[in-house]
Amino acid sequence: MKLKLLTICVLTSLSSAFGSTIVPKPVSEAPASGKFRLSGSSEIIYNNEQLAPLAGYLKEYLDPAVGATLTTELRDEQPIKAKSGQILLLLDPSLDTPAEGYNLKVSRQAVTLTGKDYGGVFNGIETLLQLMPTEIYAKKFIASKINVGCTVINDYPRFSYRGMMLDVARTFVPAEGVKAYIDKLAHHKINKFHWHLTDDEGWRIQLKSHPEMAEIGGFRGGDSPVKSIYGEWDKKYGGYYTQDEIRDVVAYAAVRNIEVIPEIELPGHSRTAARVHPEILCDYTPDLTATGGYDRRSAWCASKESNYELLDEIISEVCTLFPSKYFHVGGDEVVMEQWLTCPHCRAMMEEMGTDDPHRIEDYFMSRIEQILKKNGKIPAVWNEAINGGQLSKTTRVHGWKDVAACLKATSEGFSTIVMPGAYFYFDMRQSPIEAGHNWAGIFDVSKCYSFDFEKEGFTEENMKNVAGVQAAFWSEAHISNGAYSTDFVEYQTFPRLCALAEIGWTPQELRSYDDFNSRIRGQHQDRMAAMNIHFRMFPPTVEYKDGIITATAPSEGAEIRYTSDGKDIPTVDSPLYTGPIEADTAAALRYQFRAFYRTGVSATVPATPLADSLIKPSFRLMTSFEELEKSPYSIVEEYKTFCRTGRTPMSGDWVMYLFDEPVDCRSMQLITGFWELPAYQFITGYVEVSYDGHSFERVCDLDKGRITIYPDEGKLIYGVRVVCTTDTNGYANIFIHYPRIKPRK
Ligand code: TNX
């Protein structure tokens, strides 16, 4: 008894001393004393040909780390006994663990990794890499001999589906960027990559049967018939994947135990497809006046037989490129007015004896299901697609809207991927001052981690239909944050994805935010840096009290840098914060701080909270537009929120702010459109300021619909006029906001 107690004590003290930092946390882990020594003479032995790619994968990390070429060898004799210095990768379908489970034993002599299946061995390798120095991911020399702490880990996933969705339709990410992203997901044991390949703003997949879909639909702006809605209106931009690139990405993901699930959005979100093939639309003349000639219709007509023929050709071809059993066919946010206005769709509804357009969607989806079935595939859809009540139960549902949508799908017997936006939409902002959407909430990794099925009302019955969890990155707002680079995607994804990965992998009872938090602020941050992930750091804490600004780093080793001009945001080259800074109230308003740690960077934090530093002088709003009764200018004049104009803007239109009293300010920001999303704005334009109450002088051009002006000391602003220089923005109106004004003192 005494001995047993002692062993437990030793084990616990060892485990806390070594403090496993693995993400996602394994089911069971028993660290022991001693170390396995990895060196150039270590060998990777595997017992099944299937594991050859994994032996190669592991070697890609180990060889450069020890500066040698490790021998790999297939030995199919049974049983294999580990010899000194060997790393054994064993496939054993009889292993007593769920699919993708593994046992990993690191002893002084050898490493034995036994997986239930290919995925199990892959997951074990990811764990093994996390036991090594964090620099292992950088694929560079660490030392000729590397110690790996002895341990025994028995581990398996909570859910068979642990996914991430990337929207490459709104903002194109080249194939190399997609592969790099997949690599980073794989290190977190994510096993599904949902590739959102088409949407209103782009068609990203090459088709041999219909090359025009990507060759025309892959580009928007400029002379493309696909008009820009978000982004860079005046120039043509975009891209698409060739079929070779698609096959390459699929194969790359497969080595990393990731199944790629393609999505072709249907029947809505199809404006691009409709620009390339206008004949797919319903048969009526759209009202183009409000949007200055942009045809915003986006749904495939459900009554045209030729549409199903075209879709058969497209879908059947796409099916040949993806081995996945599942094929996502969209089904969200269909603008049903188009069907209600179409004489042929109306006739169809009459024949069906209904006036509910959802029945049309059911019909459309059932035709798509037949096409998929013929190709041996199962449909996956967004949660709205089940609202008609007729969809076949083999369909897999992605519950995105909210938890209620997930509960509905699981209760109705659909296999469901749980991905409510309020927890798992990584296009949402991580704090009020950061970039991104906010419709599903503003949240950082802690909210994401807090997702708990039981607390959200999932019963045991519901849970039987939960296939797993997924997060999503939608990219319509990405264009304004450095398109074509995945830095912003990564900033939005990590560390929130670490939380998602742990929810998908680790049993609920083993999860604790405190423990997770210390892992991701600690060693996992180094791992992410070595993986070259441009992750989001937690922001520094900044306080201003009694004339002194004090900043505290969010984690050990993080640097804080600052600017003091009230304009520029701190970069790696800005002055380093080394201790409290003395500043009077006026100066303090100009200080901004930011945390940096290797590849990680935080949001910019002002020394005094933003709201405190805004002033709200009274003004009158005048425009060249007719006022919308539902959205009066008084909303803006009272600093409530934004209002809309009655029509799309044309060149020469203007918005003017006339102040009751001249304003003395350090800066004034003027915003047309959504400030985090380049839409509903003056696409191009300039700003005029009146410094005397009589005349206006042109001071600067708008940048993505907005601009900040910094009047010289002593200059008072009587009025500001924002002038548009482009006809229309594709929307029926613009959004007008109140000016955001910072006091001079
Ligand atoms: C809703 S999620 C959408 C997307 C947007 C996203 C932005 C879903 C199925 N539809 O089209 O990009 O919100 O968060």
Side-chain angles (χ1 to χ4, degrees):
M1 180 64 190
K2 253 192 182 158
L3 192 71
K4 202 169 166 193
L5 208 78
L6 191 74
T7 332
I8 293 173
C9 287
V10 170
L11 267 184
T12 5
S13 70
L14 272 174
S15 73
S16 54
F18 290 112
S20 157
T21 64
I22 297 167
V23 178
K25 193 181 179 66
V27 174
S28 100
E29 199 183 349
S33 59
K35 305 220 178 309
F36 170 79
R37 220 157 217 234
L38 176 77
S39 72
S41 56
S42 302
E43 294 177 317
I44 303 172
I45 309 293
Y46 53 103
N47 74 340
N48 188 309
E49 213 168 336
Q50 261 191 61
L51 300 183
L54 290 184
Y57 176 80
L58 182 57
K59 228 173 107 64
E60 275 176 39
Y61 291 93
L62 304 189
D63 281 1
V66 293
T69 306
L70 265 58
T71 309
T72 58
E73 201 181 314
L74 167 67
R75 292 235 189 100
D76 45 13
E77 84 254 13
Q78 292 292 347
I80 303 187
K81 273 234 147 272
K83 292 202 193 94
S84 184
Q86 285 182 341
I87 300 174
L88 289 188
L89 306 181
L90 306 176
L91 192 69
D92 180 3
S94 72
L95 193 70
D96 185 19
T97 178
E100 288 187 84
Y102 67 91
N103 293 347
L104 172 66
K105 186 175 170 210
V106 180
S107 71
R108 286 194 171 95
Q109 292 71 39
V111 174
T112 313
L113 166 57
T114 315
K116 172 104 177 161
D117 42 30
Y118 181 95
V121 178
F122 179 80
N123 291 323
I125 288 180
E126 288 306 327
T127 297
L128 178 61
L129 291 176
Q130 291 205 18
L131 295 173
M132 297 193 181
T134 53
E135 283 306 310
I136 198 80
Y137 297 98
K139 296 188 179 172
K140 61 181 193 206
F141 182 70
I142 299 173
S144 54
K145 291 190 170 57
I146 293 176
N147 290 331
V148 186
C150 293
T151 188
V152 176
I153 294 176
N154 296 326
D155 200 15
Y156 54 85
R158 180 179 183 194
F159 294 111
S160 60
Y161 189 114
R162 306 174 302 281
M164 180 70 207
M165 189 218 79
L166 183 64
D167 168 12
V168 294
R170 271 64 173 270
T171 304
F172 182 61
V173 177
E176 280 311 306
V178 173
K179 281 164 73 177
Y181 192 62
I182 284 178
D183 206 36
K184 293 159 186 178
L185 301 178
H187 288 318
H188 293 84
K189 302 188 175 83
I190 294 298
N191 67 351
K192 311 283 171 188
F193 178 64
H194 172 173
W195 208 358
H196 187 77
L197 289 162
T198 72
D199 212 302
D200 289 328
E201 295 81 11
W203 184 283
R204 305 295 179 201
I205 180 166
Q206 181 189 45
L207 298 174
K208 297 279 159 78
S209 59
H210 290 279
E212 70 284 1
M213 293 306 287
E215 285 168 12
I216 301 173
F219 300 88
R220 68 183 194 261
D223 67 352
S224 169
V226 186
K227 301 264 194 195
S228 265
I229 296 296
Y230 312 108
E232 305 169 45
W233 278 262
D234 43 352
K235 78 175 191 239
K236 189 167 168 178
Y237 64 104
Y240 61 85
Y241 308 109
T242 64
Q243 296 203 347
D244 281 345
E245 284 176 322
I246 298 267
R247 277 188 282 266
D248 181 45
V249 169
V250 168
Y252 186 84
V255 170
R256 288 154 181 76
N257 189 39
I258 290 186
E259 175 184 333
V260 181
I261 298 151
E263 178 182 355
I264 302 287
E265 260 274 28
L266 296 168
H269 279 279
S270 300
R271 208 161 50 230
T272 294
R275 292 293 82 76
V276 182
H277 281 284
E279 73 280 5
I280 67 170
L281 289 171
C282 284
D283 215 2
Y284 72 96
T285 314
D287 175 12
L288 300 175
T289 43
T291 56
Y294 276 58
D295 185 349
R296 295 181 57 83
R297 289 178 301 167
S298 68
W300 291 67
C301 177
S303 71
K304 288 184 179 165
E305 207 43 44
S306 54
N307 278 357
Y308 300 108
E309 283 161 24
L310 177 58
L311 283 169
D312 192 340
E313 284 163 12
I314 292 176
I315 291 174
S316 300
E317 187 177 343
V318 175
C319 283
T320 62
L321 297 170
F322 295 91
S324 171
K325 266 200 321 205
Y326 288 91
F327 191 122
H328 202 300
V329 284
D332 72 307
E333 301 177 321
V334 183
V335 185
M336 299 199 179
E337 284 77 43
Q338 296 167 50
W339 294 336
L340 288 170
T341 332
C342 169
H344 307 296
C345 288
R346 290 206 66 87
M348 230 173 105
M349 278 161 63
E350 238 161 73
E351 221 171 277
M352 287 175 176
T354 179
D355 52 13
D356 179 3
H358 288 101
R359 295 290 309 283
I360 296 241
E361 187 172 15
D362 282 341
Y363 172 77
F364 186 95
M365 283 308 197
S366 72
R367 294 291 301 268
I368 301 300
E369 186 176 6
Q370 283 166 26
I371 298 172
L372 289 174
K373 212 167 169 185
K374 196 177 73 177
N375 286 284
K377 305 283 181 185
I378 302 170
V381 295
W382 296 114
N383 59 247
E384 291 97 313
I386 66 172
N387 291 348
Q390 308 287 318
L391 216 63
S392 101
K393 287 284 162 16
T394 46
T395 309
R396 190 156 73 185
V397 176
H398 289 240
W400 68 276
K401 191 93 205 203
D402 47 27
V403 170
C406 302
L407 287 170
K408 175 177 152 75
T410 47
S411 302
E412 289 178 10
F414 288 100
S415 168
T416 303
I417 310 302
V418 173
M419 50 183 303
Y423 290 91
F424 302 135
Y425 265 23
F426 295 166
D427 46 320
M428 296 302 133
R429 275 179 233 182
Q430 305 188 61
S431 77
I433 56 169
E434 286 171 73
H437 278 302
N438 62 359
W439 69 260
I442 296 176
F443 59 90
D444 71 0
V445 60
S446 62
K447 162 89 187 285
C448 187
Y449 195 82
S450 74
F451 186 83
D452 175 341
F453 282 93
E454 207 181 312
K455 286 197 189 130
E456 295 290 349
F458 286 78
T459 62
E460 255 175 60
E461 281 308 300
N462 292 125
M463 290 310 289
K464 285 185 190 151
N465 290 325
V466 172
V469 288
Q470 181 171 291
F473 178 82
W474 297 94
S475 62
E476 60 266 38
H478 173 28
I479 194 82
S480 50
N481 291 286
Y484 314 118
S485 119
T486 43
D487 287 13
F488 181 67
V489 183
E490 292 182 8
Y491 181 90
Q492 295 292 79
T493 305
F494 295 96
R496 289 190 283 196
L497 181 104
C498 308
L500 184 273
E502 195 149 306
I503 295 168
W505 184 275
T506 312
Q508 178 68 27
E509 60 279 12
L510 292 185
R511 295 207 292 121
S512 117
Y513 183 68
D514 287 347
D515 165 51
F516 173 76
N517 190 23
S518 70
R519 277 177 285 138
I520 55 160
R521 287 196 202 221
Q523 221 172 350
H524 200 61
Q525 211 158 260
D526 286 311
R527 282 189 201 115
M528 289 193 286
M531 289 171 194
N532 196 27
I533 293 176
H534 299 86
F535 61 95
R536 175 199 188 250
M537 301 268 304
F538 291 92
T541 314
V542 184
E543 256 183 18
Y544 179 58
K545 224 175 127 198
D546 303 330
I548 300 206
I549 308 172
T550 321
T552 318
S555 51
E556 216 177 297
E559 282 179 348
I560 302 176
R561 293 184 180 270
Y562 67 93
T563 51
S564 53
D565 63 355
K567 283 187 201 171
D568 302 332
I569 59 164
T571 67
V572 280
D573 300 319
S574 305
L576 185 67
Y577 171 85
T578 50
I581 299 172
E582 254 181 71
D584 63 22
T585 332
L589 287 171
R590 294 181 174 78
Y591 275 85
Q592 305 193 77
F593 296 79
R594 213 167 171 205
F596 294 86
Y597 184 72
R598 303 179 66 186
T599 51
V601 56
S602 80
T604 303
V605 185
T608 56
L610 190 66
D612 290 356
S613 62
L614 288 183
I615 51 169
K616 299 182 172 174
S618 55
F619 66 90
R620 229 180 112 210
L621 182 70
M622 293 168 75
T623 75
S624 60
F625 298 88
E626 46 278 19
E627 188 168 356
L628 250 200
E629 214 180 301
K630 281 186 291 186
S631 189
Y633 295 155
S634 56
I635 300 177
V636 165
E637 287 167 346
E638 288 161 25
Y639 289 90
K640 283 188 196 136
T641 155
F642 54 80
C643 65
R644 297 159 182 249
T645 57
R647 59 170 166 79
T648 198
M650 301 305 273
S651 184
D653 273 325
W654 50 266
V655 174
M656 182 158 66
Y657 304 80
L658 286 181
F659 296 100
D660 293 350
E661 299 289 334
V663 182
D664 185 16
C665 66
R666 178 163 48 87
S667 68
M668 182 180 289
Q669 188 183 33
L670 303 154
I671 304 164
T672 65
F674 271 135
W675 89 292
E676 80 284 7
L677 184 75
Y680 298 101
Q681 68 185 41
F682 284 171
I683 291 166
T684 56
Y686 58 90
V687 175
E688 293 178 333
V689 180
S690 174
Y691 292 116
D692 58 7
H694 303 293
S695 58
F696 277 89
E697 61 185 82
R698 181 171 168 157
V699 294
C700 51
D701 290 343
L702 292 179
D703 178 21
K704 298 207 172 69
R706 60 186 123 134
I707 198 73
T708 306
I709 48 181
Y710 300 91
D712 289 341
E713 196 90 34
K715 282 206 160 179
L716 305 184
I717 296 183
Y718 286 73
V720 204
R721 186 159 58 178
V722 188
V723 184
C724 179
T725 52
T726 310
D727 284 343
T728 190
N729 59 7
Y731 288 86
N733 47 44
I734 66 157
F735 284 28
I736 302 173
H737 302 255
Y738 54 80
R740 299 168 75 84
I741 308 173
K742 291 189 178 174
R744 185 153 323 261
K745 292 194 181 46

